[in-house]
Amino acid sequence: MNVALAGLTAREEVALGMLVGRSLPGWQCSAVTAGRQESFAPADLYVVDLAGRGMGRWTEAAQSELLNALDGAPAVLVAPAFDQTWSALDAQRMKSQSLVLLHKPYGTEDMRAALKQAAAGRATPVQPARPAPVSARPPAALPLVSPASQVVPAPVSAPRVLVSPVVAPMPASTPVVLEEGKMTAGEFQARLGALPGSEPQLFMHMLAEALALRHPFEVRVSFLNRMIFHPGEQWVASNTPLNVQEQLRQDDALASSIEIDTIDDKDAMARAMRLGMPMQPLEPFLWALAHELPDKKA
C-alpha cells in the first residue's frame, strides 16, 4: 500500500512514516511534490494536511481544488483544530470516494484507524491511470504514467520512502576503525552490515533507521521500560535493563512488539527527566549495545 503525503511538515512526514512502517506491514509512505491546481502522482491512498495545502477553511473553490487533485482517490483529510468548515463536504461523496476527515490534534491510534478506514473503502486495489486535468497548461507538461507504474507506484524518479516496513539487509562495508568504547551512529550502521544473515537483526536495524533520521525518538519496550534517543545532542536516556536489551537483540519476535515514535526536540530532555530516566552519552551506549554482536564469518 503506497501512502502519499501532501501538505505535511518534514517532522510530520517522519512521524507518520514511522507509524506506517511500524504498524502497517506492507505499507510505505512517500512525499507529494505536486503544486496547487495539479493532480497528485498515482498512489493507493493519500494523507492531505488541508492547512498545509493552503485549504485551512472549506470553500467551494477549495473543495473543487482538493477533489480535482485527488481525482477520485481515497484520502485521510487532516483539518485544523477546532475548524468545522470541512464538515461541509458532501457525506455521500466522502463515502463513495472513501474520504476520512481527521481533526488536529490526533493520536497515533486515531491516524491508524483513519488510514485503515480510508483503505477499506477503496473501490479498486490500485488507482488507474488518470486523464489529464482541464487546465491552461499543455498536456505535454503533465507526467506520463505507464501501465507498469500502476501496478507498482514507482516512477523513474522514485518517491522518497520515509520508513520501509521491511528491514532490508544492509550491505557489508569496508572495515571501520573504531575508537575503543565509542561508536557513532554511522559506525553502528556499518557494524550491522557485518552481521550474518542468520542472526536476529530486527531491533538493531529499527534502531539504526531511527538514528539515521536524526530526530529525537522514544523506544517503548514496555509500559515501564523505555529509551529516549537524541542523535542531534548525542545523548540517550534509558531505564531498560541490560538483560532486556540483550533479549531484544536476540529475539526478533520480541523486538517486533516495541514501538518507536518521534518526539519534539524541546520535549526530549524534559520527558526523560520527568520519567526519571538517567542520561548518558550516545556513542558509548551504542558501543555497549553492539559490542557483543558476532562478526561476519568469511
Side-chain angles (χ1 to χ4, degrees):
M1 175 77 69
N2 183 30
V3 182
L5 312 178
L8 281 71
T9 65
R11 180 168 294 179
E12 289 170 337
E13 288 180 353
V14 171
L16 187 52
M18 293 183 69
L19 166 66
V20 167
R22 184 187 69 244
S23 62
L24 297 171
W27 292 41
Q28 65 179 17
C29 289
S30 59
V32 166
T33 57
R36 298 277 300 264
Q37 307 295 334
E38 294 182 37
S39 290
F40 299 146
D44 301 317
L45 178 64
Y46 296 88
V47 176
V48 183
D49 187 298
L50 297 169
R53 293 288 296 181
M55 306 174 186
R57 294 183 64 82
W58 177 92
T59 63
E60 290 186 359
Q63 174 178 305
S64 177
E65 180 181 328
L66 173 66
L67 296 179
N68 285 339
L70 290 173
D71 198 18
V76 175
L77 309 177
V78 180
F82 309 114
D83 178 80
Q84 299 298 321
T85 60
W86 278 96
S87 299
L89 269 173
D90 180 71
Q92 184 59 39
R93 178 62 179 265
M94 292 187 69
K95 181 178 180 180
S96 63
Q97 191 172 334
S98 192
L99 302 177
V100 179
L101 189 61
L102 183 64
H103 284 84
K104 290 184 176 181
Y106 57 81
T108 56
E109 287 302 325
D110 298 325
M111 176 57 76
R112 185 185 293 111
L115 287 168
K116 290 182 176 180
Q117 180 181 342
R122 291 195 311 145
T124 56
V126 177
Q127 291 297 312
R130 301 175 181 179
V134 178
S135 68
R137 290 183 299 276
L142 297 175
L144 299 179
V145 181
S146 66
S149 67
Q150 297 171 33
V151 178
V152 181
V156 175
S157 178
R160 176 167 55 91
V161 177
L162 300 175
V163 175
S164 171
V166 179
V167 177
M170 297 182 181
S173 59
T174 55
V176 179
V177 179
L178 302 177
E179 181 182 349
E180 184 72 20
K182 293 185 178 181
M183 179 176 285
T184 67
E187 292 165 344
F188 182 75
Q189 187 176 32
R191 183 76 172 90
L192 298 186
L195 280 176
S198 60
E199 294 292 332
Q201 302 182 24
L202 181 59
F203 172 66
M204 305 299 276
H205 279 291
M206 291 173 68
L207 186 57
E209 287 184 357
L211 287 168
L213 297 175
R214 301 196 61 78
H215 287 273
F217 61 94
E218 181 180 56
V219 179
R220 292 197 299 277
V221 180
S222 67
F223 181 75
L224 296 176
N225 296 138
R226 306 181 181 207
M227 292 180 274
I228 294 178
F229 291 80
H230 199 310
E233 296 183 359
Q234 291 289 297
W235 59 262
V236 58
S238 172
N239 63 0
T240 303
L242 293 178
N243 66 316
V244 175
Q245 297 177 26
E246 179 68 20
Q247 292 171 18
L248 290 171
R249 286 202 304 266
Q250 296 180 355
D251 189 340
D252 282 352
L254 179 62
S256 67
S257 67
I258 69 172
E259 296 185 1
I260 299 180
D261 286 316
T262 56
I263 54 180
D264 187 82
D265 182 80
K266 297 179 181 179
D267 184 54
M269 184 175 294
R271 186 174 182 81
M273 295 176 65
R274 187 166 63 248
L275 295 173
M277 299 167 63
M279 298 171 61
Q280 57 185 292
L282 177 61
E283 292 185 0
F285 180 88
L286 293 179
W287 169 273
L289 196 63
H291 187 63
E292 298 301 325
L293 294 177
D295 289 316
K296 186 175 182 180
K297 298 179 181 179

